[in-house]
Amino acid sequence: MEKVNRYDNRLGILGWAFKGRWGFERYLYILHRLTGLGILLYFLMHIFVTSFRAMNIYLWAPDNFFHHPLFRFGEYLVFLAFAFHAFNGLRLIFVELGFAVGKPIEPVYPYKTSLTKQRPLFIVMMVFAAILAILGSYEFVISLGKMVGGGQ
Amino acid sequence: MSNEINVKFHIRRYNPKKDKSPYFQVFDIPVSKGMVILDALHYIRENYDSSLAFRYSCRMGVCGSCGMLINGSPTLACNTQILDVSDKEITIGPLPNFQILKDLVPDLMPLFEKHRSISPFIIRDEKELDDPEGEYYQTPEQLEEYLQFTYCIKCGCCMAACPTLATDKNYLGPQPLSQAHRYNKDTRDSGRKKRNEITGSRDGAFKCHYAGECSRVCPKGVDPAKAVQILKRQLVFEFLHLIKKQEPCQKLHGPGKGEKLDIPEAPEKTV
């Protein structure tokens, strides 16, 4: 039998976001992964940096490398990632254990899906994440002001 | 025909004998109200290029043959109104996450093999199936537990929309997992344990992280994402021994339950 060529049409990692008209939850899926990777990267860096203490080097001490405003901003981004990842993670725990997706229903057009059913949970969780992010932003702005003003 | 407008169709073409990769070809199609995407594809084949390959059969959203990527959304060509999508330009490609055989025809065999792997049928005692003596008893409430998931037509749209499948070809995907749940919840079935070995494996339900795209694109309202989340709950609860062992429902023997029904003999064969 003649061998037929085929073209592999797998979307790959770009298919997470760009190759289609996708919905809201798909972008949350991507953001959850990205923030997860960001937090993991921070955690690895944190272990690496604090391990310098064994050599009596304190990189996080005042006037040292990690007190540059750029690193403070990076730390702030990690905090924002944490706020989103934590509360979206809670939503996912509820949803992935089937508690917020509703019961099976007769599919009558226009179809209602579990996506709309879990959306109130999403809104509540994102409000919590926003409150945490605002509180953290306040703390960040104060500490940045002190640094720029030469306080600490 | 009156009230016609011209719509540009960007069709993704691929001939395995000539092309190394797919490319787009543009066709101008006169469109009137009521025309579906499948009509436009037929128009192209009849008037421009008879070599255009696409799969279709029933033309009424039942067979699931004509799934394709229409303006970035996997859906059925036969029940998508052209003017609902756009009155200017429409892009049509084969379903992603499958290999392309030719033009708009994807190879759906991986879907069918994964579907087969979860034993998509009622599993009972073989003797009972070979020698049926009565109907299986099931309440309307028990039917509602899985009825929504029986409407799957295996068009592959959910598999094409799944972001996890986009990067991991071993993942079972929304269609087989929702069908596993459909049979697990059927009270006539006793094959849940067998299916759990597949659905609870590393390529099973726990790779789903609820992007929800499968439910959004499903042309039959099956809501595979819902089925997969409930399936995950059952797998967790079963692992923690929080689910009662489910016995398959008993047969209903009509009035006088427990007695053999008076089943009439089949008529004599005429051929």
Side-chain angles (χ1 to χ4, degrees):
Chain A
M1 203 172 145
E2 191 188 354
K3 190 179 176 289
V4 181
N5 288 331
R6 287 144 187 255
Y7 183 81
D8 194 1
N9 197 23
R10 192 167 298 283
L11 294 179
I13 206 157
L14 291 178
W16 285 4
F18 301 114
K19 294 193 174 175
R21 286 185 301 129
W22 309 126
F24 196 60
E25 277 73 15
R26 191 184 189 108
Y27 296 101
L28 293 180
Y29 166 96
I30 301 155
L31 200 55
H32 196 76
R33 290 193 159 192
L34 290 179
T35 52
L37 287 171
I39 292 165
L40 179 67
L41 185 69
Y42 173 78
F43 178 65
L44 294 174
M45 275 171 62
H46 180 68
I47 290 173
F48 178 71
V49 168
T50 50
S51 67
F52 276 87
R53 196 181 173 193
M55 293 174 273
N56 262 351
I57 302 169
Y58 294 85
L59 288 173
W60 58 91
D63 302 327
N64 219 331
F65 190 57
F66 283 108
H67 261 257
H68 192 278
L70 196 69
F71 282 101
R72 278 289 168 138
F73 184 67
E75 223 171 22
Y76 174 60
L77 287 184
V78 171
F79 172 74
L80 291 185
F82 161 76
F84 169 79
H85 197 86
F87 284 102
N88 193 49
L90 283 175
R91 175 186 74 95
L92 285 176
I93 289 171
F94 282 118
V95 167
E96 292 197 28
L97 287 175
F99 288 119
V101 291
K103 288 183 173 177
I105 49 166
E106 178 81 13
V108 179
Y109 195 81
Y111 304 126
K112 288 176 187 161
T113 66
S114 56
L115 297 168
T116 45
K117 197 84 182 172
Q118 58 85 48
R119 204 142 289 158
L121 176 68
F122 158 74
I123 293 169
V124 168
M125 287 301 170
M126 286 304 109
V127 167
F128 282 138
I131 291 169
L132 186 61
I134 290 166
L135 290 175
S137 303
Y138 177 73
E139 177 69 29
F140 169 72
V141 170
I142 296 288
S143 71
L144 200 68
K146 278 180 183 173
M147 280 171 71
V148 173
Q152 196 219 345
Chain B
M1 210 186 287
S2 60
N3 296 328
E4 276 185 353
I5 53 166
N6 271 27
V7 177
K8 270 192 169 55
F9 277 78
H10 300 256
I11 311 286
R12 204 168 183 218
R13 305 295 304 268
Y14 173 70
N15 184 344
K17 290 187 177 163
K18 287 195 304 189
D19 307 321
K20 280 191 174 173
S21 58
Y23 62 96
F24 280 99
Q25 196 173 359
V26 185
F27 300 95
D28 251 340
I29 312 285
V31 170
S32 55
K33 198 178 171 189
M35 276 178 75
V36 292
I37 298 285
L38 194 60
D39 295 329
L41 295 175
H42 278 296
Y43 187 92
I44 293 169
R45 196 144 78 173
E46 284 161 16
N47 297 286
Y48 292 120
D49 187 349
S50 59
S51 71
L52 177 68
F54 54 95
R55 199 184 271 139
Y56 73 98
S57 181
C58 74
R59 304 178 189 222
M60 54 183 173
V62 175
C63 72
S65 303
C66 63
M68 45 190 84
L69 193 72
I70 299 166
N71 262 20
S73 190
T75 190
L76 298 181
C78 68
N79 66 359
T80 305
Q81 295 278 324
I82 295 172
L83 297 178
D84 283 352
V85 181
S86 172
D87 57 359
K88 291 183 179 66
E89 300 201 22
I90 294 178
T91 307
I92 303 177
L95 286 180
N97 299 339
F98 296 104
Q99 290 182 325
I100 307 173
L101 293 176
K102 195 185 175 199
D103 295 336
L104 303 174
V105 182
D107 178 13
L108 295 178
M109 278 314 286
L111 161 65
F112 299 140
E113 281 162 11
K114 285 176 182 176
H115 184 235
R116 193 180 291 131
S117 74
I118 54 96
S119 307
F121 42 83
I122 288 172
I123 297 172
R124 295 280 294 209
D125 178 9
E126 267 181 40
K127 186 176 166 292
E128 200 180 330
L129 286 171
D130 290 342
D131 184 21
E133 292 177 330
E135 299 163 358
Y136 296 130
Y137 180 74
Q138 194 168 64
T139 65
E141 290 76 26
Q142 288 170 333
L143 175 69
E144 274 177 19
E145 288 281 308
Y146 69 87
L147 182 64
Q148 181 176 19
F149 312 121
T150 63
Y151 289 93
C152 175
I153 54 173
K154 299 162 200 70
C155 59
C157 288
C158 56
M159 305 286 271
C162 177
T164 308
L165 260 175
T167 48
D168 184 356
K169 66 177 177 182
N170 295 325
Y171 170 49
L172 269 179
Q175 194 278 338
L177 287 170
S178 62
Q179 292 314 292
H181 180 66
R182 175 255 174 272
Y183 285 97
N184 284 351
K185 289 307 283 183
D186 195 323
T187 50
R188 297 166 295 177
D189 176 81
S190 62
R192 194 171 72 195
K193 205 172 172 187
K194 186 183 170 191
R195 284 186 208 100
N196 284 356
E197 287 172 18
I198 310 287
T199 56
S201 70
R202 58 183 294 181
D203 292 321
F206 292 102
K207 273 193 178 171
C208 167
H209 298 298
Y210 203 70
E213 215 58 59
C214 50
S215 296
R216 192 174 284 107
V217 301
C218 178
K220 303 301 283 185
V222 169
D223 205 345
K226 183 195 283 176
V228 178
Q229 310 323 309
I230 302 173
L231 174 67
K232 278 194 269 191
R233 177 174 64 195
Q234 296 215 312
L235 285 164
V236 170
F237 280 19
E238 203 148 309
F239 179 75
L240 298 172
H241 302 285
L242 294 173
I243 280 185
K244 283 182 197 166
K245 196 183 170 195
Q246 188 184 326
E247 292 291 338
C249 62
Q250 297 305 305
K251 278 174 284 187
L252 176 71
H253 296 294
K257 194 178 170 187
E259 289 169 21
K260 191 173 178 179
L261 271 181
D262 201 10
I263 301 170
E265 290 292 317
E268 276 184 33
K269 285 182 181 174
T270 53
V271 184

